[in-house]
Amino acid sequence: MHAQSQALVGQASPGTRLDRLPVTRRHVFWIVILGLGYLVEMFDNVVFSFLAPTIRAEWGLSIGQVGLVTSAVFIGMTFGAIGGGRLSDRFGRRPVLLWASVFYSLTSVMSALAPNFEILFLSRVLTGIGVQAAAGVIFVYISEMFPTRTRGRFLAVTIFIGGISNPLTSFAALAIAPSGEGAWRWVFAFGVVGFIIAAVAAVGLPESVRWLTANGQTEEAERVATKLEAIASSNGELPPVAPEPETAHSGTYRDLLAPPYRRRMVLLGGAFAVFIFGLYGFSSWMPTVLVDRGMEQSEALRVASIASFGVVLAPLLLFAVSDKIERKTAVLVAVLTAGAAMIVFGQTSNASVLIVAAVVVQTALVAATTSFYTYIPEVFPTHIRGVGAGVVGGVARLGGVASGVVVAATYSGLGSAALYLILGVAMFAVGVVVAVFGPRTTGRSLEEISQD
């Protein structure tokens, strides 16, 4: 670097220095670790929806009990999001990710060994705590450690890797669950892979430089930033960076009540809660609804398996455009598409149309999820990014809690057509609210967004 460039770098915070870097092999290595971590977390999150018909038949569960177990993971996720976010602001992103991964791996074993409905319910609550604490930190980490102009793409890659869990889970359930009494337990046991992810992350992931700077550990932040700059500069001189201040204290829940963060918290918390309600109202109940419509259990799981490929397709579509279009616009387009396809799914009896609608719903829902997970950490400053994203995620998980119970009641009382009409309209409302009232973030530094 020239002397003037070095002076500018010396005046800039480590976080803003990382923002102007090109993608390096170290970024790729990190995203593989984070993506695999997200894959295991998503596996633990969705596994019950694919096993529900088998467990329901074996244990003689009612629709209400299926709804309660479906809600259980979201009860845990509410606490995991809020508590995990606060802990990550207090103790660091890395330790929360590691210990949350260990925790949900243990609770996966608990689910696999559950002797009855009550223990299964408890194990799913505990799994939700670990899963959401880890997932929330992953998205905060990406927002803080990856270059501004490629954050959306890296989130899309993470969601793509995590999305593999859906077809993986569906085919595992299809192949293993019907093979004999209690065989479904082996599917839950796959969650122990989280132990391996925790071990690899412990070795390969540094702490977030923005968290280090905000908590006074400037020497370590400088070391991480300098090392990454050295790797990036091997391909040529790095672009200059303007000095920008970094907040130097750890935030609290009270800080979220200061403008404009209070408004952002309420807006995104409410919108994301309705979105989560619709997302899991559709995906968690699809196999059960199809069986009740008269499909054989194996055929219902096959339809769900085909639809699950939409989870992999969405990030591939977003990879090319996620950093070129505004996040809230991406949310709007995705949820409008999902809502329309949900209504078609609920009204049709044609098998081909039903499958196409299910694939479109899943693709659009994951596209919206990817955009939300990129968007939410961006709207909060470093010192409250963990707690801010955690509170929004925690409030949103209340939508998942409500989904298990309300969807069960709506489905039992009004039928599937009315249910999917309600879910579709809810999606339309989410898109309009975010598009009209959400802040603009695409292509802007985290510091610039925070100062709006």
Side-chain angles (χ1 to χ4, degrees):
M1 291 186 194
H2 298 301
Q4 184 178 6
S5 297
Q6 290 177 325
L8 287 173
V9 169
Q11 296 171 35
S13 68
T16 55
R17 286 160 56 188
L18 297 191
D19 274 347
R20 102 283 197 195
L21 297 183
V23 174
T24 70
R25 61 182 182 274
R26 191 60 56 90
H27 290 114
V28 174
F29 176 65
W30 292 345
I31 213 65
V32 170
I33 296 175
L34 296 169
L36 290 175
Y38 188 58
L39 185 152
V40 181
E41 290 149 23
M42 288 303 296
F43 180 93
D44 272 330
N45 189 10
V46 304
V47 64
F48 179 75
S49 65
F50 292 103
L51 297 179
T54 301
I55 299 174
R56 181 187 176 194
E58 186 173 314
W59 284 0
L61 300 181
S62 66
I63 284 289
Q65 288 175 309
V66 172
L68 285 173
V69 178
T70 301
S71 292
V73 72
F74 296 104
I75 295 172
M77 290 172 82
T78 301
F79 293 103
I82 297 173
R86 179 68 185 100
L87 289 172
S88 76
D89 281 341
R90 177 68 180 84
F91 298 105
R93 318 305 189 201
R94 186 170 171 272
V96 172
L97 174 60
L98 301 185
W99 288 109
S101 299
V102 170
F103 184 80
Y104 71 67
S105 295
L106 290 172
T107 60
S108 296
V109 176
M110 183 178 176
S111 294
L113 299 177
N116 52 42
F117 165 79
E118 291 78 14
I119 299 300
L120 181 61
F121 177 86
L122 175 61
S123 70
R124 298 301 293 158
V125 171
L126 296 176
T127 296
I129 293 174
V131 162
Q132 189 56 40
V137 171
I138 285 175
F139 298 121
V140 167
Y141 189 91
I142 293 172
S143 73
E144 293 182 342
M145 288 292 285
F146 288 77
T148 297
R149 64 184 179 278
T150 56
R151 281 198 302 261
R153 291 184 179 183
F154 278 114
L155 256 296
V157 171
T158 304
I159 299 290
F160 170 78
I161 297 173
I164 296 171
S165 65
N166 270 57
L168 177 66
T169 309
S170 64
F171 283 116
L174 182 61
I176 297 173
S179 63
E181 185 174 345
W184 53 268
R185 299 178 184 277
W186 290 104
V187 184
F188 273 123
F190 289 161
V192 299
V193 176
F195 287 124
I196 300 174
I197 299 300
V200 175
V203 174
L205 283 183
E207 182 55 83
S208 159
V209 297
R210 282 185 164 93
W211 183 89
L212 290 168
T213 304
N215 286 271
Q217 300 183 38
T218 54
E219 289 186 7
E220 178 63 14
E222 286 286 338
R223 187 190 67 80
V224 175
T226 301
K227 185 174 182 179
L228 199 59
E229 285 172 328
I231 294 172
S233 64
S234 62
N235 294 323
E237 184 176 347
L238 300 178
V241 56
E244 293 189 36
E246 189 80 20
T247 306
H249 67 280
S250 180
T252 66
Y253 293 112
R254 182 178 299 177
D255 293 331
L256 282 175
L257 299 179
Y261 309 120
R262 176 178 56 203
R263 179 176 177 274
R264 295 177 182 182
M265 177 182 65
V266 172
L267 168 70
L268 290 176
F272 202 28
V274 175
F275 174 75
I276 292 294
F277 177 91
L279 187 158
Y280 288 101
F282 179 84
S283 59
S284 296
W285 285 88
M286 181 166 53
T288 300
V289 168
L290 292 177
V291 169
D292 286 351
R293 280 184 175 184
M295 277 191 182
E296 294 292 331
Q297 180 177 312
S298 59
E299 182 63 22
L301 286 174
R302 190 170 292 109
V303 171
S305 299
I306 295 171
S308 70
F309 281 102
V311 178
V312 179
L313 178 61
L316 294 177
L317 296 175
L318 277 178
F319 184 80
V321 300
S322 59
D323 289 304
K324 298 178 181 178
I325 62 175
E326 179 54 47
R327 311 281 189 229
K328 61 181 183 177
T329 303
V331 170
L332 174 65
V333 173
V335 295
L336 290 181
T337 303
M342 281 181 182
I343 294 172
V344 171
F345 182 88
Q347 299 295 324
T348 188
S349 57
N350 182 284
S352 298
V353 175
L354 187 126
I355 291 173
V356 171
V359 172
V360 172
V361 171
Q362 292 285 46
T363 303
L365 287 176
V366 175
T369 301
T370 305
S371 298
F372 263 122
Y373 278 141
T374 310
Y375 189 48
I376 291 169
E378 290 178 335
V379 304
F380 297 105
T382 298
H383 69 292
I384 56 169
R385 184 165 295 121
V387 69
V391 168
V392 169
V395 170
R397 264 57 201 184
L398 294 176
V401 175
S403 177
V405 178
V406 174
V407 168
T410 304
Y411 174 51
S412 298
L414 301 177
S416 60
L419 168 64
Y420 292 118
L421 176 62
I422 293 170
L423 295 180
V425 171
M427 287 291 153
F428 296 158
V430 168
V432 172
V433 168
V434 172
V436 172
F437 299 107
R440 183 176 62 85
T441 65
T442 301
R444 306 174 72 196
S445 73
L446 297 180
E447 289 73 21
E448 181 184 358
I449 298 165
S450 297
Q451 292 169 6
D452 274 355

